[in-house]
Amino acid sequence: MSDAPSPAAAQTGAEPIRLTAYSHGAGCGCKIAPDVLSRIIAQAGAAMPHEQLMVGNDTRDDAAVFKLNEETAIVSTTDFFMPIVDDPADFGGIASVNAISDIYAMGATPMMAIAILGWPIDKLSEAVAGEVLRGAREACKAAGIPLAGGHSIDAPEPIFGLAVTGHAHPDRIKANATAEAGCLLYLTKPLGIGILTTAQKKGVLLDEDLDKARAQMLQLNAMGTVFGSMDTVKAMTDVTGFGLLGHLVEMCQGAGLSARIDIAKVPRIEGLDRYLDLKTFPGGTTRNFNAYGQHVAPLSERDRALLCDPQTSGGLLVAVAPEGRDEFESTAAEQGLQLEAFGLLEASAEHLVHWA
Protein backbone atom coordinates (compact mmCIF):
# COMPACT_ATOMS: atom_id res chain seq x y z
CA MET A 1 0.00 0.00 0.00
CA SER A 2 2.53 2.54 -1.14
CA ASP A 3 -0.04 5.34 -1.32
CA ALA A 4 -0.97 5.05 2.36
CA PRO A 5 -0.06 7.95 4.64
CA SER A 6 2.88 7.31 6.94
CA PRO A 7 2.21 6.01 10.45
CA ALA A 8 3.58 9.26 11.84
CA ALA A 9 1.21 11.32 9.73
CA ALA A 10 -1.70 9.15 10.81
CA GLN A 11 -0.74 9.71 14.45
CA THR A 12 -0.23 13.47 14.23
CA GLY A 13 -2.93 14.39 11.74
CA ALA A 14 -0.37 16.16 9.49
CA GLU A 15 -2.13 14.61 6.49
CA PRO A 16 -5.78 13.66 6.08
CA ILE A 17 -6.50 10.09 7.15
CA ARG A 18 -7.32 7.77 4.25
CA LEU A 19 -8.70 4.66 5.92
CA THR A 20 -9.30 2.90 2.59
CA ALA A 21 -5.53 2.95 1.95
CA TYR A 22 -4.99 0.57 4.86
CA SER A 23 -7.19 -2.30 3.66
CA HIS A 24 -7.31 -4.58 0.64
CA GLY A 25 -11.13 -4.72 0.56
CA ALA A 26 -13.94 -2.23 0.95
CA GLY A 27 -17.25 -2.55 2.76
CA CYS A 28 -19.50 -5.45 1.81
CA GLY A 29 -17.42 -5.88 -1.34
CA CYS A 30 -14.86 -7.73 0.80
CA LYS A 31 -17.30 -10.57 1.49
CA ILE A 32 -16.17 -14.08 0.64
CA ALA A 33 -17.72 -15.10 -2.69
CA PRO A 34 -21.08 -16.85 -2.21
CA ASP A 35 -20.00 -20.10 -3.88
CA VAL A 36 -16.84 -20.25 -1.75
CA LEU A 37 -18.86 -19.50 1.38
CA SER A 38 -21.25 -22.34 0.54
CA ARG A 39 -18.34 -24.79 0.35
CA ILE A 40 -16.93 -23.56 3.66
CA ILE A 41 -20.28 -23.99 5.42
CA ALA A 42 -20.78 -27.44 3.87
CA GLN A 43 -17.37 -28.57 5.08
CA ALA A 44 -18.24 -27.52 8.63
CA GLY A 45 -20.93 -30.20 8.77
CA ALA A 46 -24.59 -30.01 9.71
CA ALA A 47 -25.66 -27.56 12.39
CA MET A 48 -27.02 -29.01 15.61
CA PRO A 49 -30.83 -28.97 15.40
CA HIS A 50 -32.72 -27.09 18.08
CA GLU A 51 -36.48 -26.99 18.38
CA GLN A 52 -36.52 -23.28 19.31
CA LEU A 53 -34.27 -22.18 16.43
CA MET A 54 -36.71 -20.77 13.89
CA VAL A 55 -34.11 -19.50 11.40
CA GLY A 56 -30.55 -20.76 11.13
CA ASN A 57 -28.08 -20.66 8.24
CA ASP A 58 -29.93 -23.13 6.01
CA THR A 59 -31.34 -20.40 3.77
CA ARG A 60 -28.54 -17.81 4.04
CA ASP A 61 -30.88 -15.52 5.92
CA ASP A 62 -29.92 -12.14 7.37
CA ALA A 63 -30.09 -13.15 11.03
CA ALA A 64 -30.71 -16.11 13.30
CA VAL A 65 -34.06 -16.31 15.08
CA PHE A 66 -34.62 -18.08 18.41
CA LYS A 67 -38.17 -18.50 19.73
CA LEU A 68 -38.33 -17.76 23.45
CA ASN A 69 -42.08 -18.26 23.81
CA GLU A 70 -45.32 -17.77 21.90
CA GLU A 71 -44.98 -13.99 22.04
CA THR A 72 -41.27 -13.29 21.63
CA ALA A 73 -38.46 -14.34 19.33
CA ILE A 74 -34.88 -13.13 19.69
CA VAL A 75 -33.14 -12.07 16.47
CA SER A 76 -29.34 -12.12 16.40
CA THR A 77 -26.82 -11.07 13.75
CA THR A 78 -23.27 -9.84 13.20
CA ASP A 79 -21.70 -7.92 10.34
CA PHE A 80 -18.30 -6.26 9.95
CA PHE A 81 -15.96 -5.17 7.18
CA MET A 82 -12.99 -3.04 6.14
CA PRO A 83 -13.33 0.68 5.31
CA ILE A 84 -15.34 1.77 2.29
CA VAL A 85 -14.83 5.48 3.12
CA ASP A 86 -11.87 7.43 4.45
CA ASP A 87 -13.59 9.38 7.23
CA PRO A 88 -13.37 7.34 10.47
CA ALA A 89 -16.71 8.47 11.92
CA ASP A 90 -18.47 7.74 8.63
CA PHE A 91 -16.83 4.30 8.55
CA GLY A 92 -18.14 3.52 12.03
CA GLY A 93 -21.59 4.83 11.16
CA ILE A 94 -21.89 2.97 7.86
CA ALA A 95 -20.66 -0.33 9.34
CA SER A 96 -23.19 0.05 12.16
CA VAL A 97 -26.14 0.93 9.92
CA ASN A 98 -25.23 -2.04 7.75
CA ALA A 99 -25.21 -4.44 10.71
CA ILE A 100 -28.44 -3.13 12.22
CA SER A 101 -30.07 -3.57 8.81
CA ASP A 102 -30.02 -7.35 9.27
CA ILE A 103 -32.46 -6.97 12.17
CA TYR A 104 -34.76 -4.73 10.15
CA ALA A 105 -34.58 -7.19 7.24
CA MET A 106 -36.20 -9.83 9.45
CA GLY A 107 -39.07 -7.45 10.27
CA ALA A 108 -37.73 -7.16 13.82
CA THR A 109 -36.92 -4.31 16.22
CA PRO A 110 -33.27 -3.83 17.29
CA MET A 111 -32.57 -3.87 21.05
CA MET A 112 -28.81 -3.40 21.55
CA ALA A 113 -25.45 -3.79 19.86
CA ILE A 114 -21.88 -4.69 20.77
CA ALA A 115 -18.87 -3.62 18.73
CA ILE A 116 -16.29 -5.66 16.83
CA LEU A 117 -13.03 -3.75 16.28
CA GLY A 118 -9.82 -4.86 14.60
CA TRP A 119 -7.23 -2.09 14.55
CA PRO A 120 -3.65 -1.74 13.20
CA ILE A 121 -2.48 0.09 16.30
CA ASP A 122 1.05 0.49 14.90
CA LYS A 123 -0.28 2.39 11.86
CA LEU A 124 -3.41 4.22 12.98
CA SER A 125 -3.78 6.07 16.26
CA GLU A 126 -6.21 5.24 19.04
CA ALA A 127 -7.79 8.65 18.41
CA VAL A 128 -8.79 7.55 14.90
CA ALA A 129 -10.28 4.35 16.36
CA GLY A 130 -12.20 6.52 18.80
CA GLU A 131 -13.72 8.41 15.88
CA VAL A 132 -14.89 5.10 14.39
CA LEU A 133 -16.63 4.29 17.67
CA ARG A 134 -18.13 7.78 17.84
CA GLY A 135 -19.71 7.24 14.43
CA ALA A 136 -21.03 3.87 15.60
CA ARG A 137 -22.60 5.40 18.70
CA GLU A 138 -24.35 8.03 16.55
CA ALA A 139 -25.80 5.34 14.28
CA CYS A 140 -26.97 3.28 17.25
CA LYS A 141 -28.51 6.39 18.81
CA ALA A 142 -30.41 7.04 15.58
CA ALA A 143 -31.72 3.46 15.76
CA GLY A 144 -32.71 3.95 19.40
CA ILE A 145 -30.38 1.30 20.80
CA PRO A 146 -27.34 1.33 23.09
CA LEU A 147 -23.85 0.36 21.96
CA ALA A 148 -23.41 -1.75 25.05
CA GLY A 149 -19.87 -3.12 24.77
CA GLY A 150 -17.67 -5.05 22.39
CA HIS A 151 -14.34 -6.70 21.71
CA SER A 152 -11.17 -5.47 20.02
CA ILE A 153 -7.97 -6.97 18.64
CA ASP A 154 -4.72 -5.63 17.18
CA ALA A 155 -5.12 -6.46 13.49
CA PRO A 156 -3.14 -5.79 10.29
CA GLU A 157 -6.08 -3.92 8.71
CA PRO A 158 -8.90 -1.80 10.17
CA ILE A 159 -12.09 -3.80 10.65
CA PHE A 160 -15.30 -2.66 12.31
CA GLY A 161 -18.87 -3.86 12.73
CA LEU A 162 -21.50 -4.86 15.25
CA ALA A 163 -23.24 -7.85 16.71
CA VAL A 164 -26.88 -6.80 17.08
CA THR A 165 -29.75 -8.31 19.03
CA GLY A 166 -33.39 -7.65 18.25
CA HIS A 167 -36.85 -9.01 18.96
CA ALA A 168 -40.11 -9.73 17.14
CA HIS A 169 -43.29 -11.70 17.51
CA PRO A 170 -42.59 -15.19 16.09
CA ASP A 171 -45.46 -14.78 13.62
CA ARG A 172 -43.98 -11.50 12.31
CA ILE A 173 -40.57 -12.80 11.25
CA LYS A 174 -39.87 -12.12 7.57
CA ALA A 175 -37.37 -14.67 6.30
CA ASN A 176 -35.87 -14.56 2.81
CA ALA A 177 -37.27 -18.00 1.90
CA THR A 178 -40.98 -17.48 2.60
CA ALA A 179 -41.97 -15.63 -0.57
CA GLU A 180 -44.93 -16.88 -2.62
CA ALA A 181 -45.72 -17.04 -6.33
CA GLY A 182 -47.35 -13.80 -7.48
CA CYS A 183 -45.46 -11.63 -5.00
CA LEU A 184 -44.33 -8.25 -6.31
CA LEU A 185 -40.71 -7.23 -5.76
CA TYR A 186 -39.61 -3.88 -4.33
CA LEU A 187 -36.24 -2.36 -3.43
CA THR A 188 -36.05 0.43 -0.84
CA LYS A 189 -32.67 1.91 -1.85
CA PRO A 190 -31.36 2.41 -5.39
CA LEU A 191 -28.37 0.44 -6.67
CA GLY A 192 -24.93 1.79 -7.50
CA ILE A 193 -22.91 2.07 -4.28
CA GLY A 194 -20.04 -0.08 -5.55
CA ILE A 195 -19.97 1.73 -8.89
CA LEU A 196 -19.82 5.19 -7.28
CA THR A 197 -17.18 4.29 -4.71
CA THR A 198 -15.06 2.74 -7.46
CA ALA A 199 -15.46 5.91 -9.54
CA GLN A 200 -14.22 7.91 -6.58
CA LYS A 201 -11.14 5.69 -6.21
CA LYS A 202 -10.41 6.17 -9.93
CA GLY A 203 -10.76 9.95 -9.63
CA VAL A 204 -13.67 10.28 -12.07
CA LEU A 205 -16.51 10.96 -9.63
CA LEU A 206 -18.16 14.33 -10.27
CA ASP A 207 -18.38 16.81 -7.39
CA GLU A 208 -22.19 16.69 -7.42
CA ASP A 209 -22.06 12.92 -6.85
CA LEU A 210 -19.54 12.94 -3.98
CA ASP A 211 -22.07 12.66 -1.16
CA LYS A 212 -24.63 10.36 -2.78
CA ALA A 213 -23.09 7.05 -1.71
CA ARG A 214 -22.21 8.27 1.79
CA ALA A 215 -25.71 9.60 2.46
CA GLN A 216 -27.36 6.41 1.25
CA MET A 217 -25.07 4.11 3.25
CA LEU A 218 -25.82 6.06 6.44
CA GLN A 219 -29.59 5.74 5.94
CA LEU A 220 -31.20 3.27 8.35
CA ASN A 221 -33.58 0.60 7.02
CA ALA A 222 -35.90 1.22 9.95
CA MET A 223 -38.98 0.80 7.76
CA GLY A 224 -38.28 -2.95 7.95
CA THR A 225 -39.86 -3.05 11.40
CA VAL A 226 -43.02 -1.47 9.97
CA PHE A 227 -43.07 -3.90 7.04
CA GLY A 228 -42.69 -6.76 9.52
CA SER A 229 -46.13 -5.95 10.92
CA MET A 230 -47.81 -6.37 7.50
CA ASP A 231 -49.30 -9.77 6.67
CA THR A 232 -49.01 -9.15 2.92
CA VAL A 233 -45.23 -8.71 3.18
CA LYS A 234 -44.19 -12.33 2.66
CA ALA A 235 -40.39 -12.15 2.61
CA MET A 236 -37.54 -9.67 3.05
CA THR A 237 -33.78 -9.53 2.83
CA ASP A 238 -31.30 -6.70 2.58
CA VAL A 239 -29.16 -6.22 -0.51
CA THR A 240 -25.48 -6.08 0.39
CA GLY A 241 -22.24 -7.57 -0.94
CA PHE A 242 -23.76 -10.16 -3.29
CA GLY A 243 -25.67 -7.49 -5.23
CA LEU A 244 -29.36 -7.49 -6.09
CA LEU A 245 -29.09 -10.58 -8.27
CA GLY A 246 -27.27 -12.62 -5.64
CA HIS A 247 -29.78 -11.89 -2.91
CA LEU A 248 -32.70 -12.40 -5.30
CA VAL A 249 -31.29 -15.77 -6.36
CA GLU A 250 -31.12 -16.76 -2.68
CA MET A 251 -34.74 -15.68 -2.19
CA CYS A 252 -35.85 -17.71 -5.21
CA GLN A 253 -33.86 -20.78 -4.15
CA GLY A 254 -35.33 -20.67 -0.67
CA ALA A 255 -38.90 -20.36 -1.90
CA GLY A 256 -38.57 -22.71 -4.90
CA LEU A 257 -39.61 -19.94 -7.31
CA SER A 258 -38.28 -17.86 -10.20
CA ALA A 259 -38.29 -14.09 -10.59
CA ARG A 260 -39.16 -12.03 -13.66
CA ILE A 261 -37.79 -8.50 -13.43
CA ASP A 262 -37.97 -5.38 -15.57
CA ILE A 263 -34.40 -4.07 -15.50
CA ALA A 264 -35.54 -0.59 -16.57
CA LYS A 265 -37.62 -0.35 -13.37
CA VAL A 266 -34.82 -1.43 -11.01
CA PRO A 267 -34.03 1.68 -8.92
CA ARG A 268 -30.57 3.14 -9.46
CA ILE A 269 -28.79 6.15 -8.00
CA GLU A 270 -29.44 9.31 -10.02
CA GLY A 271 -26.63 9.97 -12.48
CA LEU A 272 -25.36 6.39 -12.41
CA ASP A 273 -25.51 5.97 -16.19
CA ARG A 274 -22.38 8.11 -16.58
CA TYR A 275 -20.37 5.66 -14.49
CA LEU A 276 -21.87 2.65 -16.23
CA ASP A 277 -20.58 4.17 -19.45
CA LEU A 278 -17.14 4.66 -17.86
CA LYS A 279 -17.20 1.05 -16.59
CA THR A 280 -16.15 1.94 -13.05
CA PHE A 281 -17.12 -1.52 -11.84
CA PRO A 282 -15.68 -2.96 -8.61
CA GLY A 283 -14.00 -6.37 -8.66
CA GLY A 284 -16.84 -7.80 -6.60
CA THR A 285 -19.18 -7.46 -9.59
CA THR A 286 -17.35 -10.17 -11.53
CA ARG A 287 -16.95 -12.28 -8.40
CA ASN A 288 -20.69 -12.13 -7.84
CA PHE A 289 -21.63 -13.02 -11.41
CA ASN A 290 -19.18 -15.92 -11.47
CA ALA A 291 -20.85 -17.28 -8.34
CA TYR A 292 -24.50 -17.25 -9.50
CA GLY A 293 -24.57 -16.18 -13.15
CA GLN A 294 -25.52 -19.72 -14.19
CA HIS A 295 -28.88 -19.23 -12.46
CA VAL A 296 -29.95 -16.18 -14.48
CA ALA A 297 -30.96 -15.59 -18.10
CA PRO A 298 -28.35 -13.99 -20.39
CA LEU A 299 -27.89 -10.24 -19.91
CA SER A 300 -25.66 -7.47 -21.22
CA GLU A 301 -22.43 -6.35 -19.56
CA ARG A 302 -24.07 -3.07 -18.58
CA ASP A 303 -27.07 -4.74 -16.92
CA ARG A 304 -24.78 -7.24 -15.22
CA ALA A 305 -22.73 -4.37 -13.81
CA LEU A 306 -25.85 -2.84 -12.26
CA LEU A 307 -27.53 -5.98 -10.95
CA CYS A 308 -24.34 -7.59 -9.59
CA ASP A 309 -22.94 -4.38 -8.07
CA PRO A 310 -21.93 -5.08 -4.44
CA GLN A 311 -23.93 -2.85 -2.12
CA THR A 312 -22.76 -1.71 1.30
CA SER A 313 -25.64 -0.86 3.64
CA GLY A 314 -28.05 -1.41 0.76
CA GLY A 315 -31.82 -1.38 0.77
CA LEU A 316 -34.43 -3.99 1.60
CA LEU A 317 -35.62 -6.40 -1.09
CA VAL A 318 -39.29 -6.98 -0.25
CA ALA A 319 -41.74 -9.56 -1.64
CA VAL A 320 -45.34 -8.36 -1.32
CA ALA A 321 -48.52 -10.31 -2.07
CA PRO A 322 -50.39 -8.63 -4.98
CA GLU A 323 -53.47 -7.89 -2.87
CA GLY A 324 -51.25 -5.86 -0.52
CA ARG A 325 -49.76 -3.63 -3.21
CA ASP A 326 -51.72 -0.46 -2.43
CA GLU A 327 -51.28 -0.77 1.33
CA PHE A 328 -47.57 -1.46 0.99
CA GLU A 329 -46.90 1.46 -1.34
CA SER A 330 -48.90 3.86 0.82
CA THR A 331 -47.13 2.62 3.98
CA ALA A 332 -43.77 3.10 2.25
CA ALA A 333 -44.81 6.63 1.26
CA GLU A 334 -45.53 7.37 4.92
CA GLN A 335 -41.93 6.35 5.59
CA GLY A 336 -40.74 8.78 2.91
CA LEU A 337 -40.25 6.16 0.19
CA GLN A 338 -41.87 6.32 -3.25
CA LEU A 339 -41.60 2.70 -4.34
CA GLU A 340 -42.56 0.93 -7.56
CA ALA A 341 -42.51 -2.82 -8.15
CA PHE A 342 -39.71 -3.87 -10.50
CA GLY A 343 -40.61 -7.54 -10.83
CA LEU A 344 -42.61 -10.47 -9.55
CA LEU A 345 -42.14 -14.05 -8.42
CA GLU A 346 -43.45 -16.96 -10.50
CA ALA A 347 -43.43 -20.74 -10.56
CA SER A 348 -39.96 -22.23 -10.96
CA ALA A 349 -38.63 -21.88 -14.53
CA GLU A 350 -35.45 -22.69 -16.44
CA HIS A 351 -33.67 -19.70 -14.88
CA LEU A 352 -34.14 -18.50 -11.32
CA VAL A 353 -34.13 -14.93 -12.64
CA HIS A 354 -35.21 -13.82 -16.11
CA TRP A 355 -36.26 -10.57 -17.74
CA ALA A 356 -39.60 -8.98 -18.55
Side-chain angles (χ1 to χ4, degrees):
M1 302 177 199
S2 58
D3 60 344
S6 68
Q11 298 291 331
T12 63
E15 299 176 22
I17 298 298
R18 289 185 55 229
L19 282 185
T20 54
Y22 290 90
S23 61
H24 75 279
C28 289
C30 62
K31 277 187 173 184
I32 293 174
D35 53 338
V36 176
L37 179 60
S38 294
R39 293 195 295 270
I40 291 172
I41 293 173
Q43 189 164 340
M48 182 186 75
H50 195 290
E51 61 180 13
Q52 290 172 273
L53 185 65
M54 294 178 59
V55 180
N57 66 4
D58 310 13
T59 56
R60 306 291 191 272
D61 231 308
D62 298 290
V65 182
F66 189 89
K67 184 176 180 180
L68 285 181
N69 51 50
E70 296 304 314
E71 298 297 323
T72 305
I74 295 297
V75 184
S76 180
T77 187
T78 184
D79 209 315
F80 51 89
F81 48 61
M82 292 166 275
I84 191 169
V85 292
D86 290 319
D87 183 270
D90 282 348
F91 172 42
I94 290 166
S96 300
V97 169
N98 180 74
I100 297 168
S101 178
D102 286 342
I103 301 295
Y104 292 134
M106 304 300 294
T109 301
M111 297 163 56
M112 70 172 185
I114 55 175
I116 300 161
L117 175 69
W119 203 250
I121 205 70
D122 61 327
K123 299 173 186 164
L124 289 165
S125 74
E126 58 194 60
V128 178
E131 282 295 290
V132 175
L133 286 173
R134 182 176 68 82
R137 288 195 186 281
E138 288 299 312
C140 289
K141 180 180 178 181
I145 63 174
L147 182 56
H151 183 69
S152 62
I153 61 169
D154 187 353
E157 296 179 300
I159 298 169
F160 187 76
L162 301 178
V164 191
T165 303
H167 69 91
H169 191 286
D171 295 340
R172 296 298 186 185
I173 295 295
K174 306 298 182 182
N176 69 354
T178 52
E180 300 173 359
C183 279
L184 301 169
L185 295 170
Y186 294 86
L187 183 62
T188 64
K189 289 185 185 180
L191 301 179
I193 291 295
I195 292 168
L196 287 189
T197 53
T198 301
Q200 186 169 15
K201 289 177 185 176
K202 292 185 175 182
V204 298
L205 192 68
L206 297 178
D207 288 346
E208 60 261 35
D209 295 330
L210 280 173
D211 198 49
K212 288 180 179 178
R214 171 189 175 276
Q216 180 165 304
M217 289 188 288
L218 285 168
Q219 179 186 342
L220 287 165
N221 281 326
M223 75 291 297
T225 301
V226 178
F227 296 157
S229 67
M230 301 175 66
D231 291 337
T232 52
V233 172
K234 299 300 182 182
M236 278 198 298
T237 188
D238 61 349
V239 177
T240 54
F242 299 159
L244 174 62
L245 269 189
H247 294 284
L248 181 55
V249 163
E250 289 182 340
M251 180 178 282
C252 290
Q253 287 174 327
L257 300 170
S258 288
R260 181 184 299 274
I261 70 175
D262 184 341
I263 297 176
K265 291 184 178 180
V266 173
R268 66 196 70 192
I269 294 172
E270 186 178 354
L272 194 69
D273 284 348
R274 175 178 188 271
Y275 304 105
L276 288 169
D277 291 339
L278 292 172
K279 298 185 178 182
T280 58
F281 311 149
T285 299
T286 299
R287 175 210 66 186
N288 284 341
F289 187 76
N290 288 343
Y292 52 71
Q294 71 273 20
H295 297 301
V296 307
L299 72 171
S300 69
E301 180 190 38
R302 186 185 182 89
D303 290 338
R304 182 175 66 191
L306 175 70
L307 300 179
C308 299
D309 186 44
Q311 304 302 287
T312 297
S313 189
L316 299 176
L317 172 61
V318 190
V320 181
E323 65 271 19
R325 179 176 199 156
D326 291 343
E327 180 192 12
F328 177 79
E329 291 182 3
S330 62
T331 300
E334 292 169 3
Q335 302 295 312
L337 300 172
Q338 300 300 319
L339 300 183
E340 179 185 9
F342 67 87
L344 76 158
L345 295 171
E346 304 174 325
S348 181
E350 177 184 359
H351 295 105
L352 289 177
V353 183
H354 46 268
W355 325 117

